[in-house]
């Protein structure tokens, strides 16, 4: 998880969004450096209004399949931010996000019907054209 308290003179929704984008990129860099892929995402914004009790607005934590496609994850993060609606008169004070259920790439199972999966693994494994039964030297026609 990552979070950032917004400086008092910059507490508005536009600046909160800029901080959010920076936190997303920072989290991608950290996950890439450790070769990790997330399984769910959660966003929260702490807001306050003068002489009122602070509130915490959060986007629903959604689960998804582990993916190494960062473009997909970026669009997912963008869509999650768009779910956050601050009430009138409230300003953001802190932005936080959590990528959870992290897995290492070697622990992931590639989808069976992924288009580029064959390109990834044909150089590693010798995939036979036919599967034999019984005598391994005999090939069924």
């Amino acid at each position: 998880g990552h979070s950032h308290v917004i400086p008092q003179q910059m507490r508005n929704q536009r600046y909160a969004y800029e901080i959010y984008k920076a936190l997303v990129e920072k989290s991608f860099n950290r996950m890439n450096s450790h070769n990790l892929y997330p399984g769910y995402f959660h966003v929260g914004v702490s807001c306050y209004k003068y002489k009122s009790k602070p509130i915490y607005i959060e986007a629903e934590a959604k689960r998804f399949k582990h993916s190494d496609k960062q473009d997909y994850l970026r669009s997912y993060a963008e869509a999650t931010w768009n779910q956050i609606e601050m009430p009138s008169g409230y300003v953001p004070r802190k932005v936080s996000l959590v990528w959870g259920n992290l897995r290492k790439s070697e622990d992931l199972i590639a989808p069976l019907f992924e288009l580029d999966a064959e390109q990834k693994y044909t150089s590693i494994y010798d995939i036979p054209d036919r599967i034999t039964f019984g005598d391994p030297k005999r090939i069924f026609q």
Side-chain angles (χ1 to χ4, degrees):
H2 292 78
S3 65
H4 187 78
V5 176
I6 303 170
Q8 189 157 2
Q9 67 275 17
M10 298 178 175
R11 290 185 177 169
N12 59 47
Q13 187 145 0
R14 183 185 62 80
Y15 194 71
Y17 176 67
E18 294 301 318
I19 288 175
Y20 173 75
K21 288 193 310 186
L23 290 175
V24 168
E25 290 304 315
K26 180 180 177 183
S27 63
F28 281 153
N29 289 338
R30 185 171 283 173
M31 286 188 294
N32 284 340
S33 68
H34 294 288
N35 205 18
L36 297 171
Y37 298 101
Y40 81 89
F41 185 61
H42 177 82
V43 178
V45 178
S46 177
C47 302
Y48 75 99
K49 185 176 182 178
Y50 183 70
K51 292 190 176 182
S52 295
K53 186 177 179 182
I55 60 171
Y56 186 73
I57 303 168
E58 55 189 336
E60 181 181 342
K62 293 194 177 179
R63 297 187 183 281
F64 49 87
K65 292 182 180 179
H66 294 88
S67 173
D68 58 348
K69 312 247 184 301
Q70 286 195 356
D71 292 335
Y72 167 75
L73 296 174
R74 276 190 183 85
S75 64
Y76 187 83
E78 181 75 25
T80 306
W81 176 262
N82 292 333
Q83 292 178 8
I84 294 182
E85 296 178 20
M86 282 184 236
S88 176
Y90 280 84
V91 292
R93 180 170 41 189
K94 180 181 176 184
V95 177
S96 60
L97 59 91
V98 175
W99 294 98
N101 193 17
L102 298 171
R103 304 267 193 234
K104 289 218 174 251
S105 63
E106 56 266 12
D107 295 338
L108 298 180
I109 298 172
L112 182 60
F113 297 106
E114 185 177 276
L115 294 177
D116 60 339
E118 185 175 335
Q119 294 171 352
K120 284 183 188 175
Y121 299 114
T122 52
S123 62
I124 299 172
Y125 301 107
D126 186 23
I127 302 172
D129 289 336
R130 295 190 172 107
I131 299 173
T132 62
F133 297 94
D135 184 8
K137 295 178 184 171
R138 189 174 117 209
I139 297 177
F140 285 89
Q141 298 286 333

